[in-house]
Amino acid sequence: MFKKPIVLNGKAPKFVQIQEDLINKILNYDILYDDKIPSETELMTYYNVSRHTVRMALLNLQKENFIRKEHGKGSFCNYIADKGHESKTILVLTTYISDYIFPFVISGIEKELTARGYNMMVACTQNDKIKEAQILKNLLTQNIAALIIEPTRSADPNANSALIQELQNKGVKVIFLNAEYSDISAPFVRLDDEKLSYDLTKLGINLGHKSIHGIFKKDDLQGIRREAGFFKAIEESENLENYRTVTYTTVTKHIVPLDYVKTQIKNNTHPTLFICYNDEIAVDVIRAINECGLKCPEDISVLSFDDSTLAYTSSPNITSVVHPKEKLGKLVASNAISMVEDNAKLENIILTSDISIKKSCINIYQ
């Protein structure tokens, strides 16, 4: 789109022509929301103009909220184009997009929205509340029908409550994914994290493990609920010799679990089973076990959540709770459409699932 230079031959000043050309590209879906705008140097070459002319055009586009500038990163499209008067665009705002299980969830959302004639826009917060605030502020000027939002660090106070409520006051339907903000009146679709953690912990106990440690994330509700399910199963069991949990945050996820496991092994206080918040952590735990000269599951077993591709590529394959990724995506998309088309007040949906048994946890009794 920006590869072959064009000639500006209109009567208007060149910066105005550049501005109008970029707006047309945005309105015609050539540039989508959150797409990176070419650099000033690239635009100078494309339009055959000076840097000053490019900067004038970009400054005007920023003032009109068609683009936004991010320090050290460049300019990004800040406008969600929509062809109709009534918006058929639903924005999906997740903590991440391309990592872990998120592509499968987003794929489920996209399939349902496309089948029902809706456009999908995707943005991510990178689990950063400041980034979440920036995106929500930008949405206030856009024409969207609904917002599917995965809360950012959902166990922490909701700093962006007013922005979400302002969107609702404008008529934007809001539905939560994976967790929820308790101070916002909106339905959610999520897993029954507490029950699934209870089931996973019970599996370990039934396999004879009496020394069990849990590793859980403390800045999102999934982690809080999974830790609660862990302790519920522990409290119902007898004759356990050693049990405890350690928690970490988004920032420390690749530091605290590794250090904890290595310290436990070094001090010879390690359990026979680690129950991990998700497969990413489980992979790190298995690596720590190996680096300490022990083996999984012969010396220490591991159980986990999400049954992601990591559970199958890890050695050993990890026994993990199955996350109904695409199903979850389709459900939240279908409910978002019902809210838009029927103004429906929906009940919350809490999904359960199964455990995929693989090779990371041994039976102590055998």
Side-chain angles (χ1 to χ4, degrees):
M1 178 173 53
F2 288 96
K3 292 180 180 179
K4 186 178 179 180
I6 65 171
V7 177
L8 299 175
N9 52 16
K11 294 181 180 180
K14 288 186 177 180
F15 76 89
V16 174
Q17 294 182 58
I18 294 172
Q19 184 178 328
E20 291 176 347
D21 185 61
L22 289 172
I23 290 174
N24 284 334
K25 285 178 167 58
I26 291 170
L27 296 179
N28 290 324
Y29 296 90
D30 293 323
I31 302 175
L32 302 177
Y33 176 78
D34 226 22
D35 281 354
K36 193 174 188 300
I37 305 298
S39 67
E40 289 183 358
T41 302
E42 290 169 327
L43 291 176
M44 287 167 58
T45 301
Y46 180 69
Y47 291 111
N48 192 26
V49 295
S50 68
R51 187 178 299 275
H52 176 70
T53 300
V54 167
R55 284 183 177 175
M56 287 181 66
L58 293 179
L59 181 61
N60 285 342
L61 288 171
Q62 186 178 5
K63 288 179 179 178
E64 294 179 18
N65 211 33
F66 279 99
I67 67 170
R68 69 180 186 278
K69 288 190 176 182
E70 296 187 10
H71 182 68
K73 295 182 179 180
S75 298
F76 296 83
C77 178
N78 200 42
Y79 183 86
I80 298 176
D82 193 88
K83 293 180 179 178
H85 177 68
E86 285 194 16
S87 178
K88 297 281 283 186
T89 296
I90 292 179
L91 183 85
V92 181
L93 180 57
T94 58
T95 51
Y96 301 98
I97 294 176
S98 59
D99 297 336
Y100 198 47
I101 63 172
F102 293 96
F104 301 97
V105 176
I106 291 171
S107 174
I109 295 173
E110 183 176 27
K111 287 178 181 178
E112 184 67 20
L113 294 183
T114 301
R116 302 279 294 275
Y118 281 77
N119 306 311
M120 181 182 78
M121 295 294 180
V122 180
C124 78
T125 65
Q126 297 172 335
N127 218 25
D128 184 324
K129 285 190 178 291
I130 294 176
K131 177 76 170 175
E132 182 186 65
Q134 291 172 343
I135 295 171
L136 291 172
K137 286 178 183 176
N138 293 334
L139 289 180
L140 291 172
T141 64
Q142 311 299 335
N143 183 25
I144 61 170
L147 170 66
I148 297 172
I149 177 172
E150 179 187 32
T152 292
R153 300 204 306 271
S154 53
D156 292 346
N158 179 16
N160 298 320
S161 174
L163 291 170
I164 298 173
Q165 290 173 348
E166 192 171 347
L167 282 168
Q168 290 178 310
N169 292 338
K170 287 187 61 181
V172 176
K173 305 301 181 182
V174 174
I175 184 168
F176 290 112
L177 171 68
N178 284 333
E180 70 282 351
Y181 286 136
S182 60
D183 58 344
I184 298 295
S185 178
F188 59 76
V189 179
R190 66 170 178 85
L191 294 187
D192 193 342
D193 292 289
E194 183 172 343
K195 180 183 183 302
L196 292 171
S197 185
Y198 172 89
D199 292 343
L200 192 66
T201 307
K202 276 293 189 182
L203 171 65
I205 293 170
N206 292 337
L207 289 174
H209 291 274
K210 297 183 183 299
S211 178
I212 306 173
H213 290 193
I215 302 175
F216 299 102
K217 196 165 183 275
K218 68 179 180 180
D219 57 2
D220 71 32
L221 288 176
Q222 296 101 304
I224 300 295
R225 287 165 175 152
R226 290 174 188 181
E227 185 178 30
F230 171 88
F231 278 119
K232 183 178 180 181
I234 293 294
E235 290 166 2
E236 291 181 4
S237 303
E238 298 179 354
N239 303 320
L240 294 183
E241 301 166 355
N242 174 22
Y243 60 87
R244 61 169 296 184
T245 63
V246 64
T247 59
Y248 65 93
T249 66
T250 299
V251 175
T252 62
K253 73 175 183 178
H254 292 304
I255 301 171
V256 170
L258 269 171
D259 289 348
Y260 176 76
V261 173
K262 289 181 177 181
T263 299
Q264 291 294 308
I265 294 174
K266 179 181 178 181
N267 295 337
N268 199 29
T269 54
H270 65 81
T272 62
L273 170 63
F274 282 109
I275 294 181
C276 302
Y277 168 77
N278 66 15
D279 295 335
E280 282 186 306
I281 300 303
V283 168
D284 280 352
V285 167
I286 292 172
R287 177 158 60 90
I289 292 169
N290 292 337
E291 289 177 357
C292 290
L294 300 182
K295 292 184 178 181
C296 174
E298 292 88 344
D299 299 308
I300 303 175
S301 293
V302 172
L303 295 175
S304 182
F305 285 83
D306 294 338
D307 200 40
S308 68
T309 53
L310 293 176
Y312 294 85
T313 57
S314 172
S315 179
N317 292 171
I318 302 168
T319 294
S320 187
V321 171
V322 178
H323 192 300
K325 300 173 274 290
E326 192 164 309
K327 177 182 178 181
L328 188 82
K330 287 183 177 180
L331 276 172
V332 75
S334 177
N335 279 11
I337 293 172
S338 294
M339 293 172 72
V340 171
E341 295 184 351
D342 305 324
N343 201 28
K345 292 186 178 180
L346 302 175
E347 298 293 327
N348 298 321
I349 296 178
I350 301 177
L351 300 174
T352 189
S353 189
D354 300 314
I355 300 172
S356 174
I357 305 296
K358 293 190 268 301
K359 298 181 178 180
S360 65
C361 186
I362 62 172
N363 188 333
I364 298 292
Y365 296 125
Q366 294 180 351

